Amino acid sequence: MHIPLLDLEAHHAPIQKEILSAISHVVQSQKFILGEEVSILENHISSYCQAAYGIGVSSGTDALLLALMGLEIQASQNEIITTPYSFFATAEVIVRVGGKPVFVDIDPISYTIDPEKIERAITPRTKAIIPVHLYGQCANMQPILEIAKRYELSVIEDGAQALGATYADGRRAGSMGTVGCFSFFPSKNLGAMGDAGMIVTNSSSLSSQLRTLRVHGAEHKYYHRLMGGNFRLDTIQAAILNVKLKYLDGWTKQRAHNASRYETLFKHTDLLETSDVILPAAMYANTGVSNHHTYNQFVIRAQERDKLRAYLQEHGIASEVYYPIPLHLQECFENLMYREGDFPESEKAARETLALPIYPELTEKQQHYIVENIRSFYINLKR
Ligand SMILES: Cc1ncc(COP(=O)(O)O)c(C=O)c1O
């Protein structure tokens, strides 16, 4: 059996006609740049996220970059607090606007930034916090928002992996902070057929500022009030996303269904009792607070992770490590002077975590095969 990490062919097959017709509509209109499909998507995504405004942009990375530019966090030595356990772009954009990333370790259950550790990282130069809603569940936002309010900091939600995720109190990812940033990279729950992203916000003035920055800082063509860039979302990508958005809740339900099926299958082995495998949980450590997970990734902790991954690969099962090197140990951040041991939970997660296939079209038979192979790996290991 061959099981990919994501099966885009199976994912797109049932809606291919609809997508081609949406693309064809854009081709007929010839409005390739900021056509009406972009504003339709902006309205749909902002209301889906319970936010007032949506600004379609070229990628999730550019959403974060533009958000920082819009919040004018450019001056050097401005510090921005974030997690070292995320995709590289989260910290990269801070350096690109001239700021300094300050890392704070993660909560070991949700893998999101640990609010209890944020306050001691704040200095007079701190300007913002970027919590990342990793793998499809929200960071523990309430304490983060309280800290941000106390110290007058902006909060930029990196929701790239978590469109539609809901925090404990029912608020949607992206609607809680100053801005929310999303990616429509093809592997996301709502994926484009290329790069695309979105910023959502409840601030009318920030929304106008971001729209201006998106087109080289010009409110009127060729009259540049600000230094911006080309951060526009393609009309064709927006048209594809408008088609796919209708199916998103169904796909997310299917992902959650697959997650609970994994739970049942693992419970029928002794892997959880022996702690060879620890399953993901939609909650935060020591808080009793749970949330709604959208399972962009189903990430387990596994003893002998790298050997398990190789074994699964030999048996035709794809898996992935998100992320093998925490950001504070990346070569390009050497100048930040972090050392191994600075963020033990992030480093431990980088050693132990493994993403298993969780895509909506994954079948029961395939999940059986995956769990059975994980079981046989540990039986062989202990022989
Ligand atoms: C947490 C996180 N932030 C930012 C990004 C960047 O998004 P994009 O690839 O659309 O630029 C990603 C994409 O994988 C991500 O997972």
Side-chain angles (χ1 to χ4, degrees):
M1 205 183 285
H2 169 70
I3 308 177
L5 194 62
L6 182 66
D7 190 346
L8 285 181
E9 214 178 310
H11 191 58
H12 287 136
I15 55 169
Q16 184 154 330
K17 264 200 190 141
E18 224 182 323
I19 286 177
L20 289 175
S21 140
I23 294 173
S24 158
H25 186 262
V26 177
V27 172
Q28 275 159 22
S29 80
Q30 304 285 326
K31 299 257 166 52
F32 298 114
I33 303 295
L34 298 182
E36 69 166 349
E37 284 79 0
V38 175
S39 27
I40 291 171
L41 183 72
E42 290 173 340
N43 289 336
H44 283 159
I45 296 288
S46 54
S47 58
Y48 188 76
C49 294
Q50 303 170 347
Y53 305 96
I55 303 98
V57 293
S58 28
S59 69
T61 304
D62 285 346
L64 291 165
L65 184 63
L66 193 57
L68 290 176
M69 291 171 75
L71 291 165
E72 295 176 5
I73 308 183
Q74 276 114 317
S76 72
Q77 294 314 309
N78 276 343
E79 295 177 356
I80 298 178
I81 290 175
T82 192
T83 159
Y85 191 63
S86 179
F87 179 60
F88 181 67
T90 310
E92 177 189 41
V93 292
I94 298 173
V95 179
R96 282 179 66 190
V97 297
K100 182 181 171 198
V102 172
F103 295 118
V104 166
D105 210 357
I106 53 166
D107 161 289
I109 303 286
S110 66
Y111 304 105
T112 59
I113 194 165
D114 185 346
E116 280 192 9
K117 295 182 180 142
I118 290 179
E119 212 156 348
R120 55 187 108 118
I122 293 175
T123 75
R125 293 180 300 279
T126 309
K127 295 289 179 246
I129 306 173
I130 309 184
V132 179
H133 303 322
L134 204 72
Y135 302 149
Q137 72 175 320
C138 289
N140 192 0
M141 288 302 288
Q142 192 49 40
I144 295 172
L145 294 170
E146 282 163 18
I147 294 167
K149 193 166 174 202
R150 214 172 316 131
Y151 291 89
E152 297 181 9
L153 307 176
S154 300
V155 176
I156 298 147
E157 293 176 62
D158 182 343
Q161 301 182 7
L163 182 70
T166 310
Y167 184 56
D169 58 10
R171 281 180 291 175
R172 277 264 158 110
S175 69
M176 297 173 272
T178 320
V179 287
C181 298
F182 295 97
S183 162
F184 303 121
F185 186 78
S187 64
K188 304 301 190 234
N189 288 20
L190 180 65
M193 294 184 163
D195 281 306
M198 181 78 61
I199 305 179
V200 298
T201 180
N202 285 312
S203 159
S204 151
S205 57
L206 184 57
S207 159
S208 317
Q209 179 87 339
L210 294 171
R211 279 176 190 284
T212 305
L213 288 168
R214 176 173 71 174
V215 287
H216 304 283
E219 260 155 31
H220 304 288
K221 217 170 175 186
Y222 309 128
Y223 292 82
H224 302 269
R225 185 167 64 81
L226 302 161
M227 286 291 290
N230 175 356
F231 297 111
R232 296 179 299 243
L233 166 63
D234 260 26
T235 311
I236 285 182
Q237 295 305 334
I240 294 166
L241 291 163
N242 281 327
V243 170
K244 292 184 71 177
L245 183 58
K246 294 188 293 230
Y247 302 97
L248 178 63
D249 285 342
W251 289 329
T252 304
K253 262 193 200 141
Q254 196 53 47
R255 285 173 180 272
H257 177 73
N258 294 345
S260 70
R261 197 149 64 190
Y262 268 132
E263 268 172 42
T264 310
L265 291 169
F266 275 108
K267 274 184 192 151
H268 286 123
T269 69
D270 62 354
L271 294 170
L272 305 180
E273 276 152 42
T274 55
S275 298
D276 286 322
V277 169
I278 297 173
L279 298 182
M283 59 188 291
Y284 314 104
N286 312 319
T287 60
V289 177
S290 57
N291 59 77
H292 164 71
H293 203 310
T294 58
Y295 293 103
N296 179 237
Q297 303 297 344
F298 185 86
V299 177
I300 61 167
R301 280 186 198 261
Q303 299 290 329
E304 300 287 353
R305 190 264 321 267
D306 293 336
K307 286 185 189 160
L308 170 64
R309 186 169 183 224
Y311 182 89
L312 293 179
Q313 198 166 359
E314 275 167 33
H315 291 79
I317 301 164
S319 62
E320 189 52 274
V321 175
Y322 299 112
Y323 298 92
I325 303 179
L327 299 178
H328 66 289
L329 300 178
Q330 294 287 348
E331 195 178 336
C332 67
F333 289 143
E334 263 172 12
N335 63 326
L336 297 175
M337 307 297 280
Y338 287 111
R339 296 272 172 276
E340 205 167 335
D342 283 347
F343 305 110
E345 290 300 345
S346 301
E347 292 168 26
K348 191 165 183 282
R351 285 192 303 272
E352 294 181 351
T353 55
L354 188 67
L356 301 179
I358 185 75
Y359 54 88
E361 300 75 22
L362 191 69
T363 64
E364 186 169 0
K365 201 167 155 202
Q366 287 174 316
Q367 284 190 280
H368 263 286
Y369 180 74
I370 293 167
V371 176
E372 196 42 45
N373 272 284
I374 295 176
R375 198 176 78 88
S376 58
F377 166 76
Y378 286 105
I379 291 173
N380 290 340
L381 190 72
K382 287 169 191 171
R383 261 200 192 126

